[in-house]
Amino acid sequence: MLEHGLTEPQVPARTVVVGAGGFVGGAIARNLEARGANVVRLGRGVVDLTADGAGEALAGQLSGDDAVVLVSALAPVKNVQMLGQNIRVIEAMAHALADIQPAYVLNIGSDAVFGDTGRPLDENSPKDSPSFHGIMHHTREVAFAEAQKGPLATLRPTLIYGADDPHNGYGPNRFRRLASQGDTIKLFGEGEERRDHVWVEDVAELAARMVLHRSTGSLNAVSGQVISFNELAQICSRLHGPVEIENLPRSGPMPHDGYRPFDASAISAAFPDVIMTPPERGLEKVASGAPVGT
């Protein structure tokens, strides 16, 4: 849950977005800049967080008056080698936090820290994910809490979609690209798994508000709705096609037992005027090229 350090939003003197060259970091930087914030965008070209001495290099870019948004990660984490690379990234960021002690820190985490319960997950659900990706994000949270003695928060998005997504992962981002190219959308099984998907601009909105309010604690960035991959494919075919939708035999068990819902009530409690975008509406906005923040 969140607690606001400032009742009224206030733009920090400077906000440093570590990982601003990426999909999520770029959206957060744009949102803050649209609010008149002085944003410093740090990407790999400035500091390579996997290199020797990265912690000292990152510390050299920060000051004690900064609000810092930590987005950088090598994701998704699929194996132990990638987990090890991410530990180096985490170590560098934690080193810089411990050295500088910024005025405020926002960690962009992931809902992957939570295991499956069959019930709607919330901010207090057990962080017992057995996946490499979940273990990595839980490690981030623990490491940053140890390093940062001042105000700290974590925002945990679920599956993110948006126009500039670079990963082409199974789901709306891939389906949209396939339909735009006139290619067949291929579903695992009947595409019956139901998941929560969140628009990247909603993630950026929540992140920006947390920075402006110096919020502490944690918040899950979720739509609060579950939708099947079959439904997502049908929407993408309608918006960008029409194209054929093909069902492929499954080669393994259905992820998350086919159902992973989230309770979005903490968003309404923290920011009563925020209305999270339903997946179909969000995909319509992506298809129309809706400007950031609309």
Side-chain angles (χ1 to χ4, degrees):
M1 304 297 287
L2 286 189
E3 294 185 7
H4 298 319
L6 297 175
T7 303
E8 295 298 323
Q10 180 178 321
V11 176
R14 191 176 80 148
T15 303
V16 180
V17 180
V18 183
F23 175 50
V24 177
I28 294 171
R30 290 192 301 271
N31 189 301
L32 287 165
E33 288 165 348
R35 298 170 186 268
N38 173 21
V39 177
V40 176
R41 297 177 175 232
L42 290 187
R44 183 173 295 181
V46 179
V47 178
D48 181 354
L49 294 175
T50 64
D52 291 340
E56 292 84 353
L58 178 58
Q61 299 289 330
L62 306 180
S63 79
D65 295 329
D66 289 338
V68 179
V69 183
L70 299 173
V71 191
S72 290
L74 304 173
V77 184
K78 297 180 178 179
N79 51 50
V80 70
Q81 289 78 19
M82 288 190 70
L83 178 61
Q85 292 174 316
N86 273 285
I87 294 299
R88 287 179 61 87
V89 172
I90 294 167
E91 182 180 14
M93 292 191 287
H95 177 109
L97 297 183
D99 188 21
I100 300 301
Q101 293 299 313
Y104 178 75
V105 175
L106 174 59
N107 169 45
I108 305 302
S110 170
D111 78 289
V113 298
F114 302 120
D116 294 313
T117 66
R119 300 182 303 277
L121 298 165
D122 63 23
E123 287 72 11
N124 296 316
S125 295
K127 299 174 194 163
D128 56 2
S129 169
S131 73
F132 284 120
H133 195 64
I135 291 168
M136 182 275 283
H137 274 290
H138 191 190
T139 301
R140 282 174 70 104
E141 294 189 26
V142 172
F144 297 161
E146 179 181 283
Q148 168 70 4
K149 305 309 179 186
L152 168 70
T154 290
L155 180 65
R156 304 188 191 102
T158 186
L159 299 172
I160 304 176
Y161 64 90
D164 299 324
D165 170 75
H167 297 116
N168 201 36
Y170 180 71
N173 294 310
R174 181 187 298 176
F175 299 165
R176 178 176 53 81
R177 289 191 177 99
L178 289 170
S180 297
Q181 296 163 4
D183 293 334
T184 299
I185 296 175
K186 298 182 180 181
L187 295 175
F188 299 130
E190 299 298 321
E192 66 268 42
E193 313 100 294
R194 292 178 293 161
R195 298 286 300 276
D196 190 298
H197 298 260
V198 63
W199 189 27
V200 68
E201 302 302 340
D202 284 350
V203 175
E205 178 70 15
L206 293 175
R209 285 171 178 252
M210 290 169 73
V211 170
L212 268 58
H213 284 277
R214 314 298 195 273
S215 306
T216 58
S218 65
L219 185 67
N220 296 337
V222 300
S223 72
Q225 301 183 23
V226 288
I227 185 170
S228 74
F229 286 89
N230 188 310
E231 291 174 282
L232 290 168
Q234 297 289 347
I235 292 168
C236 290
S237 178
R238 172 175 63 81
L239 293 173
H240 301 278
V243 295
E244 181 182 356
I245 298 174
E246 179 181 350
N247 300 104
L248 303 175
R250 290 189 181 276
S251 59
M254 192 183 302
H256 305 290
D257 293 324
Y259 183 61
R260 190 168 165 87
F262 282 85
D263 180 348
S265 60
I267 297 174
S268 298
F271 306 111
D273 60 323
V274 169
I275 299 175
M276 299 300 286
T277 307
E280 183 167 7
R281 177 59 179 145
L283 288 169
E284 288 173 350
K285 289 187 175 188
V286 172
S288 69
V292 172
T294 62

